Amino acid sequence: MPNPNKNKHFNDEALRINRTLKRENDALSEIVDEFEDFLLNYDVEEFHTEIVDKIKDMIIKVRSRDGK
């Protein structure tokens, strides 16, 4: 006979994981949008070091979410 409490726990855990993944996905989507905007509005007259620094900042932002 199936254990209804075990199924409920499994479903609750699956919902918790899905919510966590959605939050992470939404946050990363915002970063991707910001990066796309940056690339689309790239000004060729801008100093290259500023561009590299901006990209590094974006990478650090993504990595900090992963705990790296």
Side-chain angles (χ1 to χ4, degrees):
M1 175 178 266
N3 181 347
N5 289 332
K6 184 177 181 182
N7 291 339
K8 178 167 178 13
H9 175 70
F10 178 81
N11 289 337
D12 290 347
E13 184 67 12
L15 288 172
R16 185 191 65 74
I17 291 169
N18 285 342
R19 283 192 296 270
T20 300
L21 291 174
K22 178 165 181 2
R23 279 193 301 273
E24 290 177 1
N25 188 46
D26 290 346
L28 289 173
S29 290
E30 288 178 24
I31 294 169
V32 168
D33 289 344
E34 180 184 344
F35 187 62
E36 287 173 343
D37 289 343
F38 171 75
L39 291 176
L40 290 172
N41 298 310
Y42 172 71
D43 181 5
V44 251
E45 299 298 318
E46 198 172 344
F47 292 106
H48 291 290
T49 55
E50 290 179 26
I51 295 166
V52 170
D53 288 344
K54 178 74 173 170
I55 293 170
K56 284 180 181 177
D57 289 344
M58 290 177 182
I59 292 169
I60 289 167
K61 191 173 181 182
V62 170
R63 287 185 175 174
S64 69
R65 293 196 43 75
D66 294 335
K68 290 183 180 178

